[in-house]
Amino acid sequence: MATDFFERQSQSRTNTRWLVILFTVAVVVLVGAVVVVTAIATGVVQEGDQSFAATGELAAPGAEQLMPAFAAGGFTLLLILMGSLFKIAQLNGGGTTVAESLGGRRLFGNSADPYEQRLLNVVEEMALASGVPVPPVFLLKEEQGINAFAAGYSPSDAVIGVTRGATEGLTRDELQGVIAHEFSHILNGDMRMNIRLIGVLHGILLLALIGRAALRIAAHSGRGRRSSKDNGGGIVLAIVVVGLVTLILGSLGSFFGNLIKAAVSRQREYLADASAVQFTRNPGGIGGALKRIGGASMGSRLQHANAAEMSHMYFGQGVWEGFTGMMATHPPLPKRILAIEPNWDGSYPAPLTVAAVSAAGAAGFAGGPSRFAVSQEVVEKAADQVGEPTELHRRYVEELVGQLPPPVRDAAREPYGSRAVIYGLLLDADPSVRQAQWAALDRHAAPDVAELTRKLSPQIDTVDARSRLPLIDMALPSLRAMTPTQYKAFAAAFQKLIEADNRIGLFEWMLHRVLVRHLEPEFGEVRRPGIAYYRLQRLTKECSGLLSALAHSSGDAEEAFARGAAELSGVEVYLIGKDRAGLADLNEALTTLTRVAAGRRRELIDACAACICADDHVNVREAELLRGISDMLDCPMPPLVAGQTVSAANIPAVGMGRPS
């Protein structure tokens, strides 16, 4: 059975519910164990045995006798919950927090290191082909093991982390396979559950940490008392006993925690491997990377003190998980390789001893005239492409980025230049409007950025519609590196450029909203929306607003609206007049529709596609508009180009139901 993006999103949420159930069971067992141990320690059980020996009857202990045991259980429960809540709050920064906690250093597009530049190019290529913002890349410079991870709550705050061992120990094809694997986790919703798993399990693992701390305190106190000839050995002994008991109970918590991680994460690695093959059409890429791990002295192991806490997030097994493998968060390496290359002979290659970065590999993309065009047939079935990037999309992106003017492309990859590129994209073709925009830019933007915008604007003007959304996605990593003060100035100038053109179109509005949507989580508190609607019947107003806005951008609004409405079975939508179908209302509608269950969002995308295709002609701006709306609905859509096929049927449904 094959699954598509929407099914995998729904099943990811099912796995999250199973995580909550497993966590609850583990907490109940731990608290029960604490109650029993405390009862034994306080003599409740012993008194019951004595009563039975004397009277032949087992007397039930009174409330006063059980009070210490229940108090200890209640304290343990509170400790677990507070530990989990603390960790969840600590991880509110998303993927950046995870990467920095593992010693990651952020890379920027102007890096002079050829290995780093190759890594940045591969990540950018995969992101643009997937239809997601280009994520910041963090290098784990001290880690020689071959490994990587994706972390974050959503594509908007996702980051990619890669070890030094992976950047220097893999060929470009192998590195591409690893990054494709990580993008599968981003697209499938695994990343969100992975980061939640860290927070939820921290409370369970906290007991073991407290036990270790108590033993260290006891050891230190014992040395101090011996040196001072103090007779407080009883206090030290008490601390040792409490530490040992807490450590034993904490080890039970660690057992449950590792068991949950293994149950939730192991099977998803097979799916991510299969998706990587589908993405690159090169089994030798990810298969070769796995074999490199087998042949490397460090394998995929990480040395950082926090590595074990994030063990379920890595490309390969990052920490030792015991002799039995029962707690392993990843399938055995040979099984993963055989699933990709059934004829593998069992041998591992020797580690690379020379740089595998060619000049072309480091530089990234090749130019040339585009061989791709917009296809109405593909746009009509756009929902089938959501979350399903293929090798065709990757090749399309290579040509697309290669055709960008080099100064514009390079500027989009560095902090100052990225701001100038965004300003340039907002400049109107009308000379009078542009003059007002230049005046606004001079008043509100940093002088050097305004000057660079003037310098780049002639070349930005040559960028066509199909390159504008990818160019914004390319600029996002550098824009996220702004300081809060820089972002405030950037946002003010950005808004003034928008306001200078009172006739902003739907396409330009979409570009504006996509940019703001992906920057807001970096610079402000943004509440991550949960699923609140499982049927569209309650959202008649929002559905009507979305379809009306698209219909009025078509030649025949009534026909376009009717085509779109036909895709929303059971929803009584109505066409809103052009004078009342404002962009502010559309933004509000899309914000609400983001909280619709994944399967219903598919219907929305089908309806939008039907609106756009109603006149039997689709241009580049319309196709990119559909991609932007899909992005705002949290449904990343690859470029819509002729020649692609529905790829969901080629991806096996592995491990997407109940954790096993």
Side-chain angles (χ1 to χ4, degrees):
M1 174 184 173
T3 59
D4 65 8
F5 168 83
F6 303 97
E7 290 178 70
R8 295 197 299 272
Q9 289 287 307
S10 298
Q11 291 164 344
S12 177
R13 294 185 183 279
T14 299
N15 281 351
T16 301
R17 287 193 288 270
W18 273 103
L19 167 62
V20 173
I21 292 172
L22 292 172
F23 171 73
T24 302
V25 171
V27 170
V28 169
V29 171
L30 275 176
V31 171
V34 169
V35 170
V36 170
V37 170
T38 306
I40 293 173
T42 56
V44 172
V45 175
Q46 184 179 1
E47 289 180 15
D49 289 343
Q50 291 173 349
S51 172
F52 180 78
T55 65
E57 296 181 359
L58 186 61
E64 185 176 343
Q65 294 171 305
L66 290 175
M67 187 61 68
F70 284 122
F75 177 77
T76 301
L77 177 61
L78 181 64
L79 187 68
I80 292 172
L81 295 179
M82 292 300 293
S84 293
L85 290 174
F86 169 78
K87 194 65 177 181
I88 289 171
Q90 191 180 52
L91 293 170
N92 200 46
T96 298
T97 302
V98 173
E100 290 176 345
S101 72
L102 289 170
R105 172 177 64 85
R106 188 167 183 168
L107 302 181
F108 294 97
N110 54 4
S111 173
D113 186 303
Y115 290 108
E116 294 177 1
Q117 192 59 57
R118 179 181 67 162
L119 171 61
L120 288 167
N121 286 340
V122 169
V123 171
E124 181 180 85
E125 174 185 320
M126 293 294 178
L128 297 180
S130 302
V132 301
V134 178
V137 179
F138 284 78
L139 178 67
L140 278 59
K141 191 173 182 179
E142 304 303 320
E143 300 289 356
Q144 295 303 312
I146 298 174
N147 224 322
F149 63 86
Y153 288 100
S154 70
S156 293
D157 68 358
V159 306
I160 296 290
V162 183
T163 63
R164 171 65 70 181
T167 59
E168 297 181 358
L170 300 176
T171 66
R172 192 183 198 280
D173 283 350
E174 291 163 354
L175 182 62
Q176 192 178 74
V178 171
I179 300 302
H181 173 103
E182 297 308 324
F183 269 93
S184 171
H185 288 311
I186 294 175
L187 295 172
N188 292 341
D190 299 339
M191 189 176 61
R192 183 190 307 111
M193 186 168 63
N194 281 343
I195 201 169
R196 285 175 175 167
L197 193 58
I198 298 172
V200 167
L201 295 185
H202 183 75
I204 296 178
L205 303 176
L206 195 58
L207 288 175
L209 298 177
I210 292 175
R212 293 191 189 100
L215 291 177
R216 283 196 296 269
I217 292 172
H220 179 74
S221 299
R223 287 195 297 269
R225 293 185 184 282
R226 283 195 300 271
S227 62
S228 62
K229 294 183 169 54
D230 198 324
N231 293 324
I235 297 176
V236 175
L237 180 61
I239 295 176
V240 170
V241 171
V242 171
L244 283 173
V245 171
T246 307
L247 182 61
I248 292 170
L249 292 173
S251 298
L252 180 63
S254 297
F255 171 81
F256 278 111
N258 291 329
L259 196 63
I260 291 171
K261 284 200 289 187
V264 169
S265 66
R266 193 181 305 175
Q267 290 300 313
R268 290 177 301 150
E269 296 303 317
Y270 285 121
L271 174 63
D273 288 346
S275 297
V277 174
Q278 172 69 20
F279 197 165
T280 62
R281 286 290 187 216
N282 180 14
I286 187 170
L290 292 169
K291 285 185 277 189
R292 294 280 179 200
I293 290 174
S297 59
M298 288 294 295
S300 55
R301 292 190 299 279
L302 273 67
Q303 304 300 308
H304 198 278
N306 294 331
E309 193 173 27
M310 286 88 168
S311 62
H312 57 292
M313 303 182 73
Y314 307 134
F315 170 74
Q317 193 74 45
V319 297
W320 186 69
E321 298 285 4
F323 292 106
T324 65
M326 184 175 65
M327 302 297 178
T329 53
H330 292 65
L333 198 61
K335 286 189 176 181
R336 291 178 68 183
I337 297 172
L338 286 169
I340 297 167
E341 299 182 15
N343 297 323
W344 176 52
D345 61 5
S347 63
Y348 296 109
L352 293 177
T353 56
V354 296
V357 183
S358 65
F365 308 103
S370 176
R371 297 176 285 104
F372 300 96
V374 176
S375 163
Q376 179 176 337
E377 181 183 1
V378 171
V379 174
E380 287 175 342
K381 299 178 180 179
D384 293 331
Q385 312 300 328
V386 172
E388 306 291 354
T390 67
E391 194 263 345
L392 175 71
H393 299 120
R394 189 182 58 79
R395 288 192 286 111
Y396 168 81
V397 164
E398 285 183 355
E399 292 200 8
L400 185 71
V401 177
Q403 290 179 54
L404 289 172
V408 175
R409 183 178 63 218
D410 295 341
R413 293 167 173 165
E414 64 94 17
Y416 273 95
S418 59
R419 280 176 268 172
V421 168
I422 297 301
Y423 292 152
L425 288 174
L426 294 176
L427 294 175
D428 197 275
D430 187 315
S432 61
V433 175
R434 181 169 288 208
Q435 190 62 36
Q437 289 178 316
W438 283 128
L441 202 60
D442 290 335
R443 285 194 302 271
H444 297 280
D448 50 351
V449 178
E451 181 182 350
L452 182 58
T453 306
R454 290 182 184 275
K455 181 180 177 181
L456 292 174
S457 62
Q459 297 179 78
I460 295 175
D461 289 341
T462 67
V463 175
D464 63 18
R466 69 180 186 142
S467 300
R468 292 182 171 249
L469 186 57
L471 196 54
I472 288 175
D473 286 338
M474 288 174 61
L476 279 169
S478 295
L479 293 172
R480 288 174 177 172
M482 290 186 290
T483 65
T485 302
Q486 289 172 333
Y487 175 71
K488 186 176 180 180
F490 168 76
F494 185 87
Q495 190 62 36
K496 293 299 180 182
L497 288 177
I498 292 288
E499 292 172 355
D501 182 2
N502 293 323
R503 51 185 175 80
I504 182 173
L506 186 57
F507 178 73
E508 288 72 24
W509 173 86
M510 177 273 295
L511 294 176
H512 161 235
R513 290 311 308 166
V514 166
L515 178 67
V516 170
R517 188 176 99 83
H518 291 306
L519 282 181
E520 281 181 342
E522 189 75 28
F523 297 100
E525 291 293 328
V526 177
R527 186 171 178 270
R528 297 180 181 91
I531 299 301
Y533 306 98
Y534 292 89
R535 302 177 65 192
L536 293 175
Q537 283 77 0
R538 296 171 55 192
L539 299 171
T540 297
K541 176 185 174 182
E542 289 78 7
C543 294
S544 299
L546 174 58
L547 295 186
S548 296
L550 289 174
H552 286 303
S553 67
S554 176
D556 186 340
E558 291 188 1
E559 174 63 19
F561 185 86
R563 292 276 191 97
E567 298 293 331
L568 300 178
S569 58
V571 185
E572 297 181 2
V573 292
Y574 50 89
L575 179 62
I576 301 173
K578 190 171 185 179
D579 57 332
R580 294 187 295 115
L583 295 178
D585 293 334
L586 176 59
N587 182 57
E588 184 179 346
L590 283 167
T591 301
T592 302
L593 292 172
T594 304
R595 306 189 66 187
V596 173
R600 305 289 77 79
R601 274 180 276 156
R602 181 191 181 97
E603 294 178 29
L604 289 170
I605 294 173
D606 282 333
C608 291
C611 266
I612 288 173
C613 296
D615 58 359
D616 296 324
H617 174 73
V618 180
N619 58 38
V620 170
R621 290 172 70 89
E622 290 173 329
E624 289 298 289
L625 174 62
L626 180 59
R627 290 214 306 135
I629 290 174
S630 183
D631 179 282
M632 285 184 272
L633 291 172
D634 279 333
C635 298
M637 184 181 292
L640 297 171
V641 293
Q644 64 195 79
T645 56
V646 179
S647 58
N650 298 323
I651 299 178
V654 180
M656 298 307 300
R658 181 185 301 188
S660 60

